[in-house]
Amino acid sequence: MSLHMVFTGNPGTGKTMMARMMARIYRSLDILSKGQLVEVDRSGLVAGYVGQTALKTQKVIEKAMGGVLFIDEAYALVNAESANDFGHEAIEVLLKNMEDHRKDLIVIVAGYAQPMERFLHSNPGLESRFNRFLLFEDYTADEMVQIFDMQCKKGCYRLTEDARPLVRDYIAEESADDSFGNARGVRNLFEHILVAQNNRLAAMENVTREDLTVITADDVLRARGKVD
């Protein structure tokens, strides 16, 4: 049974985390002998000179043997603008190893939905080896607020009651941009708010332990640029 998979979705939707979990699950079921995750992108597989890409790709595959090889933005391996692009060489080496070592190597390719569809159609071998697809939807505003709360809990921070609706507004405002990175974007907002909190604390003469762990409405507004 082929267990190679295609993960599609926008950045920050948990594709890498899920690939890591799949590696552990397959190891626990004795499908894989080691269960490690090796993550690469185009730069980790493709070299700049003739003949080097095959060696570079083979070395990565050997490192992933017994586990999962996770190729992020895999569509970048296909460069339609250049007939001499070495990405095709990496794909050929990958396909051969996926067949030869299908009992102890699982390959997961990931990226945006439409580019990944073009990637799979670029080579008949890719279409025949990948038959399991998972779509990672963007997080909703409520889910991203929950992710923010998880960041707070992890860092031992507490939001004041008047800060919570401002955080939700901040997330809603930023996530309206197509370039917003879902959970990754929420983490960036969290860090911006912490910078604002640190600046506020730096101006105080006496800082208590409680002050260090509280995020106020003023911190959120300053992070958003709503307060000078």
Side-chain angles (χ1 to χ4, degrees):
M1 182 182 297
S2 174
L3 296 175
H4 306 302
M5 306 179 75
V6 179
F7 289 176
T8 57
N10 290 326
T13 49
K15 296 186 292 296
T16 304
M17 180 186 70
M18 183 56 65
R20 191 174 292 115
M21 292 178 64
M22 294 302 295
R24 296 196 194 112
I25 291 170
Y26 287 142
R27 174 65 188 95
S28 69
L29 296 173
D30 288 331
I31 294 173
L32 294 173
S33 61
K34 297 178 182 177
Q36 79 280 16
L37 177 79
V38 175
E39 181 183 356
V40 295
D41 56 13
R42 175 189 165 90
S43 65
L45 300 174
V46 179
Y49 301 96
V50 176
Q52 290 186 335
T53 293
L55 296 175
K56 190 174 184 179
T57 302
Q58 188 63 43
K59 185 176 294 186
V60 171
I61 291 172
E62 290 172 0
K63 184 179 178 181
M65 203 64 66
V68 171
L69 175 59
F70 181 73
I71 307 175
D72 198 15
E73 298 181 348
Y75 52 80
L77 291 173
V78 178
N79 186 353
E81 298 178 357
S82 174
N84 298 320
D85 182 72
F86 300 131
H88 293 282
E89 185 178 352
I91 292 173
E92 293 300 328
V93 174
L94 183 66
L95 290 174
K96 185 178 187 305
N97 280 273
M98 288 170 67
E99 180 64 25
D100 293 347
H101 304 287
R102 61 184 179 276
K103 293 183 179 180
D104 205 24
L105 174 68
I106 293 175
V107 177
I108 299 177
V109 292
Y112 294 102
Q114 290 186 346
M116 286 302 295
E117 186 175 348
R118 291 194 295 269
F119 166 71
L120 294 173
H121 292 332
S122 69
N123 187 308
L126 290 172
E127 290 186 279
S128 64
R129 284 171 177 80
F130 290 103
N131 55 14
R132 297 174 183 272
F133 300 83
L134 281 181
L135 172 63
F136 290 71
E137 300 279 2
D138 288 340
Y139 290 114
T140 65
D142 288 337
E143 289 169 338
M144 286 190 280
V145 170
Q146 291 178 27
I147 292 170
F148 188 92
D149 286 337
M150 290 170 61
Q151 291 285 339
C152 288
K153 185 177 181 180
K154 183 178 179 181
C156 298
Y157 291 97
R158 178 177 61 83
L159 279 173
T160 61
E161 286 303 316
D162 55 345
R164 181 168 297 279
L166 296 177
V167 167
R168 183 184 176 83
D169 292 344
Y170 190 15
I171 291 174
E173 180 182 48
E174 294 296 318
S175 61
D177 190 323
D178 291 338
S179 63
F180 189 77
N182 285 279
R184 194 177 306 160
V186 173
R187 185 175 67 240
N188 291 337
L189 299 188
F190 176 72
E191 292 173 355
H192 291 162
I193 292 173
L194 287 190
V195 170
Q197 186 225 34
N198 292 339
N199 291 337
R200 174 175 59 82
L201 296 177
M204 297 171 57
E205 290 187 7
N206 298 306
V207 179
T208 66
R209 184 180 182 87
E210 178 73 8
D211 293 330
L212 292 172
T213 61
V214 172
I215 295 174
T216 67
D218 184 71
D219 297 332
V220 181
L221 291 173
R222 289 184 182 277
R224 294 177 66 184
K226 301 295 184 180
V227 177
D228 295 332

